[in-house]
């Protein structure tokens, strides 16, 4: 019987939209190679028969469709598949990676400054935010953890007041830049995450937003994470001619700070940690 991946036969994969195909390739590389590989290398689990074959089939389809393979994500998939193939051929594998090491005291100082010094900034000067900084912020968003690495996150950068007016939230933006954190919902539907792990869809956007706020802070910019509703989502779809399967999940306003808020504080950690009552 012909192999099916998530219920999709090779012929389905050959005509599947590219974003969904990429998602399935990422997900299969993750689930059928990555999460098993390091346990196999430690001798904690036996290598499954045809290790990596589903990811390989997807990569073959990707290549047959002459889609680009020089991107970092595809290179990662290829590397994982090659390692799986080596193991299948009983060829020893060396990863050329190192265990994580504790940060030095100086590095920890910077980390604490980043994590505990970040605060939401809602007013900005009219100093322009360079594109390179925005790119670094969005790249940080892409590098955030994501359920099964499905590559669903998209960004829309709005720089003009006319466009900002389409996005309704409780905080007006007067200067700076607005970045909408968006998602391609086709990807989740293809993988049936909407049925099995719908919460991941929200978590993915949240993780990206948090990484972005931290990067903005490290760059000396201010940022605030804002919520918007369905009407905003619809207006943005119309403005950019996007299908219903494209959703703006939340947005950040980013700019050079024009306010220095008192950092809000949290409840005590002791109250937040739940203990057993005897
Ligand atoms: C999911 C989420 C939604 C938020 N929505 C808004 C919002 O709509 N308007 C706003 O002014 N701030 C919003 N914020 C920012 C929070 O108000 C802010 O993070 C919180 O008060 C803690 O302050 P800090 O960020 O300065 O530590 C949101 C933050 C998160 C995580």
């Amino acid at each position: 019987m012909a192999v099916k991946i998530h219920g999709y036969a090779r012929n389905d994969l050959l005509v599947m939209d590219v974003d969904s195909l990429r998602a399935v390739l990422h997900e299969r590389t993750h689930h059928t190679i990555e999460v098993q590989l390091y346990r196999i290398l430690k001798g904690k689990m036996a290598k499954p028969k045809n290790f990596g074959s589903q990811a390989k089939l997807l990569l073959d389809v990707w290549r047959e469709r002459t889609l680009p393979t020089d991107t970092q994500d595809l290179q990662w998939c290829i590397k994982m598949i090659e390692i799986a193939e080596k193991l299948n051929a009983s060829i020893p594998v060396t990863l050329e990676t190192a265990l994580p090491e504790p940060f030095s005291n100086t590095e920890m100082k910077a980390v604490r400054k980043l994590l505990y010094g970040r605060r939401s900034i809602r007013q900005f000067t009219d100093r322009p935010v360079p594109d390179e900084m925005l790119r670094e912020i969005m790249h940080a968003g892409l590098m955030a953890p994501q359920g099964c690495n499905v590559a669903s996150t998209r960004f829309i950068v709005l720089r003009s007041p006319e466009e900002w007016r389409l996005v309704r939230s409780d905080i007006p933006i007067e200067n700076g830049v607005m970045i909408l954190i968006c998602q391609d919902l086709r990807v989740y539907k293809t993988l049936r995450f909407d049925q099995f792990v719908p919460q991941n869809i929200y978590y993915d956007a949240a993780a990206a937003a948090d990484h972005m706020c931290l990067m903005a802070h490290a760059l000396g910019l201010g940022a605030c994470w804002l919520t918007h509703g369905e009407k905003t989502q619809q207006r943005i779809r119309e403005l950019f001619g996007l299908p219903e399967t494209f959703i703006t999940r939340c947005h950040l306003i980013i700019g050079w700070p024009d306010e220095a808020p008192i950092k809000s504080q949290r409840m005590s950690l002791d109250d937040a940690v739940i203990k057993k009552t005897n």
Side-chain angles (χ1 to χ4, degrees), residues 178-231:
M178 188 182 277
I179 299 183
L180 304 171
I181 297 167
C182 314
Q183 292 178 313
D184 184 341
L185 297 180
R186 283 175 310 174
V187 157
Y188 294 114
K189 214 172 169 40
T190 301
L191 286 164
R192 299 187 181 85
F193 277 27
D194 51 341
Q195 289 172 42
F196 298 118
V197 277
Q199 68 277 21
N200 279 19
I201 304 176
Y202 292 87
Y203 299 157
D204 288 346
D210 190 46
H211 263 49
M212 293 166 77
C213 288
L214 290 170
M215 181 56 83
H217 178 62
L219 292 168
L221 293 161
C224 184
W225 168 334
L226 299 171
T227 299
H228 58 246
E230 283 179 13
K231 285 189 179 147

Side-chain angles (χ1 to χ4, degrees), residues 2-19:
V3 180
K4 283 194 174 182
I5 296 176
H6 287 301
Y8 304 106
R10 191 186 172 90
N11 281 346
D12 302 321
L13 298 167
L14 283 167
V15 294
M16 182 179 274
D17 73 88
V18 175
D19 292 303

Side-chain angles (χ1 to χ4, degrees), residues 118-120 122 170-171 224-227 263-264 266:
R118 185 213 54 80
R119 56 201 156 150
S120 294
R122 298 176 175 87
D170 57 346
I171 303 296
C224 184
W225 168 334
L226 299 171
T227 299
K263 169 68 184 163
S264 63
R266 308 294 185 256

Side-chain angles (χ1 to χ4, degrees), residues 12-208:
D12 302 321
L13 298 167
L14 283 167
V15 294
M16 182 179 274
D17 73 88
V18 175
D19 292 303
S20 293
L21 182 63
R22 186 198 288 112
V24 183
L25 173 56
H26 279 205
E27 185 274 336
R28 288 290 81 190
T29 304
H30 163 69
H31 267 138
T32 67
I33 304 178
E34 185 184 31
V35 294
Q36 300 176 33
L37 173 65
Y38 306 109
R39 292 184 66 77
I40 294 169
L41 292 179
K42 280 274 179 199
K44 289 183 182 166
M45 77 174 271
K47 183 185 71 57
K49 215 171 137 230
N50 301 324
F51 186 41
S53 61
Q54 292 195 20
K56 176 72 170 66
L57 189 154
L58 287 155
L59 180 62
D60 289 345
V61 169
W62 187 272
R63 284 183 164 138
E64 194 172 326
R65 292 177 62 173
T66 63
L67 295 166
T69 54
D70 57 352
T71 55
Q72 287 184 343
D73 62 329
L74 257 292
Q75 285 298 310
W76 172 77
C77 293
I78 291 168
K79 188 183 266 182
M80 298 307 277
I81 292 163
E82 284 174 356
I83 290 173
E85 287 181 326
K86 273 191 184 168
L87 290 179
N88 287 332
S90 303
I91 298 169
V93 164
T94 42
L95 296 179
E96 289 161 10
T97 51
L99 291 173
E101 284 184 5
F103 283 23
S104 68
N105 287 342
T106 316
E107 288 164 340
M108 277 308 293
K109 226 172 141 184
V111 170
R112 292 194 179 104
K113 185 173 169 183
L114 175 69
L115 296 183
Y116 307 143
R118 185 213 54 80
R119 56 201 156 150
S120 294
I121 304 283
R122 298 176 175 87
Q123 297 183 86
F124 311 110
T125 69
D126 59 6
R127 182 177 160 195
V129 181
D131 282 341
E132 311 83 71
M133 286 191 170
L134 292 179
R135 286 186 64 81
E136 179 124 41
I137 289 168
M138 290 187 278
H139 186 239
L142 279 186
M143 291 303 287
Q146 189 179 47
C148 305
N149 191 12
V150 292
S152 57
T153 308
R154 306 285 182 272
F155 304 106
I156 290 177
V157 180
L158 300 182
R159 281 187 175 275
S160 80
E162 297 77 54
E163 290 173 334
W164 296 339
R165 275 193 275 279
L166 299 174
V167 181
R168 305 275 158 77
S169 65
D170 57 346
I171 303 296
I173 172 169
E174 289 137 3
N175 282 311
V177 182
M178 188 182 277
I179 299 183
L180 304 171
I181 297 167
C182 314
Q183 292 178 313
D184 184 341
L185 297 180
R186 283 175 310 174
V187 157
Y188 294 114
K189 214 172 169 40
T190 301
L191 286 164
R192 299 187 181 85
F193 277 27
D194 51 341
Q195 289 172 42
F196 298 118
V197 277
Q199 68 277 21
N200 279 19
I201 304 176
Y202 292 87
Y203 299 157
D204 288 346

